[in-house]
Amino acid sequence: MKSHPKHLPADERRAVTVEAVVALAADQNPSEITTTAIAKQMGLTQGALFKHFPTKESIVEAVMDWVAERLLSRVDRAMDAAPSPVAAIEAVFTAHVEFVAEHPGVPRMLFGELQRAERTAPKRIAQTIMRRLRSRLTRLIEEGKAAGALSPTLDADAAVTCLIGMVQGLVMQSLLVNDVGRIRREAPRVFAIYLRGIGSHP
């Protein structure tokens, strides 16, 4: 359990709460994380926690907002620093993998929200993250085709599905064997095969 000051500004308290939930989700099923466990992780009472979040769902929504902002910002920085569309595709893949490796609780929460039948605010945010990632990757693939670096007949939509699926597959396999480091170790080799498949020219 981390010890945090009892009196923090509201924004900082909310940020600390998000960090506590992400940390808890790395070791347990996110759906089983209670407000009692979150408060304990923060060294607070439930009453203090509810001053900032009226419900557990509002906490999960804040976590999803945090994930969206952090992940997409990292992806955008990686894209902007890349010298070519193909390099940018790899940079996005690597940035996504690194984010997951640093925050293993995040994919647990994303998968959990996307599996829910009802339409909740956290689920909408999770869907938005996936939609924005797809949009960025589709644009890069089309730019790569236009530049002659990728096969002109490449199905951009299928290529994006494969790329996102590779990250999800790496995540699932690492969770199954309880080895987050496996994501980083296998990602370069997996991407190399992908790159050959989409018709990148040296």
Side-chain angles (χ1 to χ4, degrees):
M1 179 185 74
K2 292 185 178 180
S3 177
H4 298 288
K6 301 296 182 184
H7 302 289
L8 291 174
D11 287 347
E12 189 172 345
R13 175 65 72 203
R14 284 190 285 269
V16 169
T17 304
V18 166
E19 292 170 4
V21 175
V22 171
L24 287 168
D27 298 316
Q28 60 184 283
N29 186 337
S31 66
E32 297 175 358
I33 296 174
T34 63
T35 52
T36 300
I38 297 168
K40 183 178 179 181
Q41 176 81 359
M42 298 172 66
L44 298 175
T45 64
Q46 276 188 286
L49 182 63
F50 285 132
K51 287 181 181 178
H52 302 285
F53 296 97
T55 64
K56 181 183 174 183
E57 183 170 317
S58 66
I59 296 175
V60 177
E61 182 177 355
V63 173
M64 290 295 101
D65 278 331
W66 180 89
V67 171
E69 192 278 326
R70 296 295 180 90
L71 175 58
L72 294 175
S73 292
R74 184 176 293 199
V75 163
D76 287 341
R77 288 195 301 272
M79 287 173 56
D80 292 343
S84 69
V86 173
I89 293 168
E90 182 172 8
V92 169
F93 174 78
T94 302
H96 196 171
V97 165
E98 284 297 318
F99 184 82
V100 169
E102 291 169 19
H103 307 287
V106 166
R108 290 176 181 267
M109 299 196 71
L110 279 172
F111 289 151
E113 290 303 319
L114 290 171
Q115 289 179 60
R116 295 178 66 175
E118 66 272 26
R119 283 190 59 79
T120 63
K123 182 175 181 178
R124 287 195 296 273
I125 295 168
Q127 290 171 329
T128 297
I129 293 171
M130 292 296 101
R131 188 166 57 250
R132 290 180 177 174
L133 276 173
R134 290 191 68 90
S135 175
R136 285 160 169 77
L137 288 166
T138 299
R139 186 176 77 247
L140 290 174
I141 287 173
E142 292 297 349
E143 289 175 357
K145 289 167 64 175
L150 298 177
S151 169
T153 60
L154 177 64
D155 183 331
D157 188 60
V160 170
T161 297
C162 288
L163 189 63
I164 293 176
M166 287 192 320
V167 177
Q168 294 170 340
L170 287 167
V171 169
M172 290 300 295
Q173 291 180 58
S174 70
L175 292 177
L176 284 170
V177 297
N178 196 29
D179 179 8
V180 176
R182 180 173 179 167
I183 301 173
R184 286 191 175 108
R185 293 195 301 273
E186 295 193 355
R189 291 183 296 146
V190 169
F191 187 82
I193 294 172
Y194 173 79
L195 205 54
R196 288 197 294 271
I198 63 176
S200 174
H201 301 300

